[in-house]
Amino acid sequence: MKFLKQILDFYLNSSIHVALSCYALVRVTFHVFHIQYDEAMALFVFFGTIVGYNFVKYDALVRVKKNPIGIQLKIIAVLSFISLILVGYYFFHLQRITQIVSVGIFAVTALYTLPFFPNRKNARNWAGVKIYIVALCWVGATLVLPIINAEIPFTANFFIKCIQRFVLVFVLILVFEILDLANDDPHLQTVPQTIGVKKTKILGFSLLVPFWIVGILSFTFHELIINLIMVIMLMLFIAFANPNRSKYYTSFWVESVPIFWWLMIVFL
């Protein structure tokens, strides 16, 4: 059992799980916009997520705090390096405009981690903006990039899907912020710190209702049913979220929502 827990911890700590969630959202985008499977696009996002998230998570730990590097962190560093090489490989298989936009998303990720401005903290520590930066990066990587790479024009349907994807990621992050309430720096001004846990949950519920209703304009009946199942699942995660929950509640189960969404589309 201890060995299985170590494998699960490595799977989560190395960002493979969150990368799989991003990959799942890319596959959802392919399905919704009737795009033929694009291996280069999907795997670029998958490996790019591993590189980006590990950079965000471990940069300060190693560069600033100079903590000793354990065996697991060394393996994660090797995995991230291999992923970086694969990101470079798939990058050159993308359309030129996709490459340019992806560099912009990477720049935002770097801004999120590194203090580019003198006497300023990185964007991750800017009060109240963390949740918006993360949500925008997810929308950019999992929806905008695949659409641009497939050379699909920006229609009203595209912007509706962007809003829906932003709301989905925003709500997922709300659950994370509720669980991290006890550990987050008060100066971050996360949503639960600003309005309280109860109002944060109400906000999450309130956002999910229009998220599903707006889909009536562009989804098929079967997709609406699948989206309704996902909305109910998210509402349950929000309802039972509290700062005393295990880290696996968010880092595994909540981050699995996009994967469940993709699997429901595939099998249902």
Side-chain angles (χ1 to χ4, degrees):
M1 185 63 72
K2 183 179 179 181
F3 177 68
L4 292 176
K5 184 179 182 299
Q6 289 176 336
I7 293 177
L8 177 61
D9 286 340
F10 175 78
Y11 171 70
L12 298 175
N13 294 337
S14 62
S15 303
I16 296 175
H17 188 60
V18 67
L20 189 57
S21 294
C22 282
Y23 174 86
L25 287 178
V26 172
R27 296 300 300 267
V28 171
T29 300
F30 288 166
H31 169 79
V32 171
F33 288 92
H34 309 290
I35 301 171
Q36 187 176 1
Y37 177 65
D38 185 343
E39 178 183 23
M41 185 72 261
L43 294 183
F44 174 77
V45 172
F46 176 80
F47 290 111
T49 303
I50 291 178
V51 173
Y53 262 76
N54 286 345
F55 177 65
V56 168
K57 286 195 291 186
Y58 301 113
D59 169 72
L61 192 68
V62 175
R63 179 177 57 85
V64 180
K65 297 182 180 179
K66 303 186 184 301
N67 287 13
I69 301 177
I71 294 178
Q72 185 182 100
L73 192 55
K74 289 180 180 178
I75 298 174
I76 290 174
V78 172
L79 173 66
S80 301
F81 180 71
I82 295 172
S83 297
L84 181 61
I85 293 174
L86 291 170
V87 166
Y89 171 77
Y90 288 116
F91 177 82
F92 291 105
H93 287 76
L94 303 177
Q95 301 280 1
R96 179 59 58 86
I97 183 62
T98 312
Q99 293 175 345
I100 294 171
V101 175
S102 67
V103 169
I105 293 174
F106 172 77
V108 173
T109 303
L111 177 66
Y112 182 76
T113 308
L114 301 174
F116 279 95
F117 305 108
N119 302 318
R120 292 278 185 176
K121 295 182 178 180
N122 55 35
R124 190 179 191 180
N125 294 306
W126 293 355
V129 303
K130 170 185 172 182
I131 190 169
Y132 301 102
I133 293 176
V134 176
L136 285 173
C137 285
W138 274 62
V139 173
T142 67
L143 199 153
V144 177
L145 288 184
I147 293 300
I148 292 176
N149 203 59
E151 299 181 328
I152 294 176
F154 290 176
T155 62
N157 183 43
F158 164 78
F159 291 107
I160 289 173
K161 294 297 190 298
C162 282
I163 294 171
Q164 286 182 314
R165 189 66 56 86
F166 182 89
V167 169
L168 171 65
V169 178
F170 189 92
V171 171
L172 289 173
I173 300 172
L174 286 181
V175 182
F176 274 84
E177 290 191 344
I178 290 173
L179 267 71
D180 292 339
L181 185 60
N183 301 316
D184 278 338
D185 186 332
H187 294 96
L188 284 178
Q189 294 182 22
T190 62
V191 177
Q193 288 174 341
T194 304
I195 66 176
V197 172
K198 184 177 180 180
K199 289 183 178 179
T200 299
K201 291 185 177 184
I202 293 173
L203 174 62
F205 293 144
S206 302
L207 288 173
L208 287 174
V209 174
F211 168 83
W212 184 77
I213 292 177
V214 170
I216 296 175
L217 301 174
S218 54
F219 283 105
T220 65
F221 175 76
H222 290 90
E223 289 169 339
L224 285 174
I225 297 300
I226 290 173
N227 286 1
L228 180 60
I229 294 172
M230 188 179 66
V231 165
I232 294 172
M233 187 188 309
L234 274 168
M235 285 183 168
L236 290 173
F237 277 128
I238 294 171
F240 291 102
N242 66 69
N244 298 319
R245 288 283 180 187
S246 163
K247 67 175 183 177
Y248 300 111
Y249 187 82
T250 48
S251 59
F252 182 79
W253 292 110
V254 174
E255 282 188 349
S256 294
V257 170
I259 301 172
F260 291 145
W261 189 14
W262 173 44
L263 293 177
M264 283 191 292
I265 290 174
V266 171
F267 294 108
L268 299 182

